[in-house]
Amino acid sequence: MTAARLATEAITLEPLARQSAPATSMLSVANLSKSFGPIAALRDVSLDIAAGEIRGICGENGAGKSTLVKLLTGVYRPDGGSITVAGRPCIIATPRQAQELGIALVAQELSLCPDLSVEDNIWLGSLQVPFLHKKPELRRRAAEALVLLGAEHIALAAKVASLSMGERQLVEIARMLTRDARVLILDEPTATLSDVEIARIFAALLAVKREGRSIIYITHRLAEVYAICDRVTVLRNGELIATVELADVDRAGLIELMLGRPSDEMYPEETRDEGPPALVVESLTVPGGIADFSTIVRRGEILCIAGQVGSGATEIVTALAGLAHDATGRVAVDGRALILGSPLRAARRGIMFVSGDRAGEGVFRRLSIFDNLVATRLRDHAVFGFLRRGSLRTTAAALAKKIGIDRRRVRARADALSGGNQQKLAFGRCLDRGAGGILVMNEPTRGIDVGARAEIYRLMREFCAAGYALVLASSDLEEVLGVGDVVITLYRGRQVGRYRRGEATMHRIVADITHPVEAAT
C-alpha cells in the first residue's frame, strides 16, 4: 500500500456511499467467451454493472482482464456470449461502435498528443464533432468537462506536454466525457502519480459517479480498490471467480480469491545471518533529487528506501547504478572506492540495476527470453571471441527454471510475456553472478499482480541467501514493510528516519514521508 493510496483512502472512503446492490443496469455481459487457438482467454464471464457504480476488476496477469476490456471496446469480437448497454443488446465489432455506445477506455499508456493543445486533444477523434461545428461551442463543452472533474485550472490552450501526468489523466477522462461516455474503463490510472494527483483523479471519478455514469476500475493496487470501488470482480485463468461487496472481504481474502491459495506466504522470511558491509554511502547528492544521503548495506540484507514520487528514492538507486552523471559523494563497495557517474564502472564492481520501467529499461522486448537471460554474460561463454552456444543454452535453461519460466519457451520473444514474467526476466539476468553482487532496484513490482510479486520477493530472498546486498526504492509501503530488513524514509530529498525490521509501522512511515519539513525548521 503506497502512501498515496493511504492518504487518498482517508480522503475518499468516508464520503463514498457504497451501493449494496445494483440499481439500474448500465452494462451487462452474459457468458462472454474468447479463445485464441486452443487457449481460452475468457470463459463464460458474466457481469452486471449498475449506473453510478465504480466496479473494481482484479486478477493476476493472464487472468483475462485485458481480454475483457478489448471485447468491451471493440478490439476483439467474442466467440460467445452477449453484451447489453443501458438495456439494449448490442454487438461491438469495432472501437468506433464502442464509442457510439458510450464505452470509453483510459489506458495505462495515454493516447494524448503532447504537441497539441488540451482542447485539440479533447476533441481529437471524437464522433461528437459535427462537420459544420462552432469552435466556441466545442471550447465551452471542453471547459465544462474539466470543471466537472475539478480540473478547471488546466488551460485549454496549454500544450499537453507541459502538463503533469495527473493532469494528463484528467484531460484523458475529460475527452471521454465529451464523447458522452456512459461506461468509463480505467486501466492502472494511478501507477505513476503523486499523492495530490491521485487525490484529484479519485475526486474526478466520484464526480463522474454522481453523474450516473459507470466506471470499471482495473488495478493491481488493492488499497485503491478499497478506497474508491463499490464492488470488486475477481478473474482467474479467464474465469469469473467472484463478485463481492468490499465490506464482505478483507485484503487477505481478496488476495486468496485472486491467487486461488492462501496469501500468508506473500513475503518470505528474512535472511537470518547478515554479512559484512557490502556498500557504504556517504554524503550522496544528486542536484534536484537527493542531498547528503548516507547509509551502510550489509550482505544478505535488503535496504528499502521509502518515499513518495519525487522524494529522491529513485535518484539514490540510479546514482548507485552509475546512471546519474552529476551525482557526488563517496561510495565504497567492499571497502574499495567507486567513482560515480558510469554504469560500466558500477557493473564491473558487481552493482546490477533492475528498473521499474520494464519496456524502456528492463528487458529487450523484441529479443528472445534466451537472449535476455544471457545478454550480460556472453564474455563468460566465449573462447577466443567465439560463443559456446551449447553452454549458453544450458545456462539460459537453468536461469529460466530458477525464475519460474518454462524452459521450452526460451526462444519466445520477451514481449510475449506478461509484465510480471518480464520483470522476473530482468531479475534472472542478475542470478548466479557470484557472492559479490549488489542489486539496486527501482519500483521493481510496479504494475505487477500479487502472484508475480510473491515470486519477485522469493527471488530477492534467494539473492540474499547467495550473499548479495539489495537496495530497493519503493513507494509501495506494504512492500517496504514486508521485505525490508532496514527501512529508510525520505521526504523531499532528505532522510527522515531509519528503522530495523519490526521497528517501523505503517503509521510511522506515512508520517515520515509526508513530513512537513518546512514546519519543523
Side-chain angles (χ1 to χ4, degrees):
M1 186 186 302
T2 67
R5 280 75 187 171
L6 288 166
T8 308
E9 188 170 3
I11 293 169
T12 60
L13 275 178
E14 184 176 349
L16 179 58
R18 303 195 187 283
Q19 300 176 6
S20 60
T24 304
S25 177
M26 179 65 76
L27 173 70
S28 295
V29 299
N31 305 116
L32 209 59
S33 299
K34 179 65 179 179
S35 296
F36 299 93
I39 300 174
L42 213 63
R43 290 186 291 271
D44 294 323
V45 169
S46 298
L47 298 172
D48 189 20
I49 300 175
E53 176 185 358
I54 303 179
R55 173 71 64 87
I57 304 287
C58 291
E60 297 186 75
N61 289 326
K65 303 186 301 294
S66 295
T67 301
L68 175 62
V69 168
K70 289 176 180 178
L71 290 171
L72 294 176
T73 55
V75 178
Y76 296 155
R77 294 194 66 173
D79 298 330
S82 61
I83 300 174
T84 302
V85 178
R88 288 179 47 207
C90 55
I91 296 174
I92 307 176
T94 65
R96 181 187 178 100
Q97 289 180 339
Q99 185 182 152
E100 291 171 343
L101 289 165
I103 299 175
L105 170 67
V106 178
Q108 186 174 357
E109 300 296 332
L110 299 182
S111 59
L112 302 176
C113 297
D115 292 329
L116 295 182
S117 70
V118 170
E119 182 182 359
D120 288 340
N121 269 280
I122 286 176
W123 291 111
L124 186 64
S126 175
L127 301 179
Q128 305 297 322
V129 181
F131 180 75
L132 297 174
H133 62 273
K134 296 180 179 179
K135 190 75 171 177
E137 173 65 14
L138 297 183
R139 186 173 295 116
R140 181 188 64 79
R141 290 176 59 192
E144 287 176 351
L146 290 174
V147 169
L148 173 64
L149 300 176
E152 58 270 18
H153 64 284
I154 300 176
L156 290 174
K159 281 192 175 182
V160 164
S162 68
L163 306 181
S164 70
M165 286 304 298
E167 289 171 331
R168 296 184 195 192
Q169 286 278 16
L170 291 170
V171 171
E172 186 88 60
I173 296 173
R175 169 197 275 180
M176 302 312 171
L177 296 184
T178 60
R179 299 180 182 187
D180 296 331
R182 294 181 288 185
V183 179
L184 194 61
I185 304 171
L186 291 97
D187 185 6
E188 295 286 351
T190 63
T192 59
L193 304 187
S194 68
D195 287 4
V196 173
E197 290 171 328
I198 291 173
R200 285 177 179 167
I201 295 297
F202 278 19
L205 296 183
L206 292 176
V208 172
K209 169 189 171 74
R210 287 191 292 269
E211 288 273 302
R213 307 175 199 250
S214 301
I215 298 170
I216 296 175
Y217 194 89
I218 300 171
T219 182
H220 292 309
R221 305 284 190 177
L222 299 189
E224 294 186 2
V225 173
Y226 282 92
I228 196 68
C229 297
D230 297 304
R231 274 175 291 275
V232 60
T233 293
V234 177
L235 300 178
R236 189 193 326 138
N237 297 327
E239 296 182 346
L240 175 67
I241 300 302
T243 294
V244 294
E245 300 282 345
L246 286 166
D248 296 335
V249 62
D250 60 12
R251 291 169 61 84
L254 183 54
I255 292 173
E256 186 168 344
L257 286 173
M258 295 166 63
L259 297 179
R261 60 182 186 273
S263 62
D264 53 5
E265 296 182 0
M266 171 69 75
Y267 301 105
E269 290 188 10
E270 65 272 22
T271 306
R272 297 298 182 185
D273 298 321
E274 296 173 359
L279 182 70
V280 178
V281 182
E282 297 179 358
S283 302
L284 178 65
T285 298
V286 179
I290 190 74
D292 200 29
F293 176 81
S294 300
T295 192
I296 296 174
V297 190
R298 298 181 176 276
R299 297 216 170 274
E301 181 178 77
I302 299 178
L303 169 67
C304 285
I305 305 172
Q308 304 180 69
V309 174
S311 66
T314 294
E315 284 77 5
I316 291 173
V317 294
T318 53
L320 294 176
L323 298 171
H325 71 280
D326 52 354
T328 59
R330 296 177 297 279
V331 176
V333 177
D334 294 326
R336 295 173 53 202
L338 170 68
I339 300 175
L340 297 169
S342 168
L344 181 59
R345 285 195 296 264
R348 285 175 174 171
R349 299 299 303 279
I351 297 178
M352 294 161 282
F353 179 58
V354 175
S355 172
D357 181 4
R358 293 181 296 278
E361 300 174 341
V363 298
F364 303 106
R365 297 182 66 201
R366 296 190 178 185
L367 297 183
S368 68
I369 296 170
F370 169 89
D371 290 331
N372 272 275
L373 288 172
V374 301
T376 58
R377 57 189 82 212
L378 298 179
R379 187 187 297 272
D380 301 334
H381 297 271
V383 177
F384 301 114
F386 293 94
L387 293 175
R388 295 180 293 159
R389 305 297 295 185
S391 176
L392 284 172
R393 284 193 293 270
T394 300
T395 298
L399 292 173
K401 182 179 180 181
K402 286 186 176 183
I403 62 176
I405 294 178
D406 192 336
R407 290 176 291 175
R408 295 170 296 182
R409 299 186 62 192
V410 294
R411 292 297 177 184
R413 280 181 27 158
D415 58 9
L417 298 176
S418 67
N421 279 331
Q422 286 183 17
Q423 194 70 329
K424 287 194 288 183
L425 198 58
F427 273 86
R429 193 184 297 141
C430 304
L431 282 167
D432 297 341
R433 306 297 292 180
I438 297 173
L439 195 59
V440 295
M441 301 161 281
N442 184 37
E443 304 283 4
T445 62
R446 175 181 288 161
I448 294 177
D449 65 78
V450 291
R453 280 171 177 248
E455 287 297 304
I456 294 294
Y457 300 146
R458 177 187 62 80
L459 286 172
M460 288 183 188
R461 284 301 168 191
E462 287 187 6
F463 279 107
C464 290
Y468 284 66
L470 277 64
V471 181
L472 164 64
S474 178
S475 57
D476 188 328
L477 301 191
E478 185 175 295
E479 174 175 89
V480 166
L481 288 172
V483 303
D485 300 313
V486 175
V487 176
I488 289 178
T489 52
L490 297 180
Y491 179 78
R492 294 189 177 179
R494 293 193 176 274
Q495 180 174 330
V496 180
R498 179 185 178 94
Y499 308 94
R500 297 293 304 179
R501 178 178 289 275
E503 296 176 348
T505 64
M506 187 70 73
H507 183 272
R508 180 68 262 172
I509 293 180
V510 172
D512 282 357
I513 68 176
T514 57
H515 180 65
V517 170
E518 294 84 0
T521 57

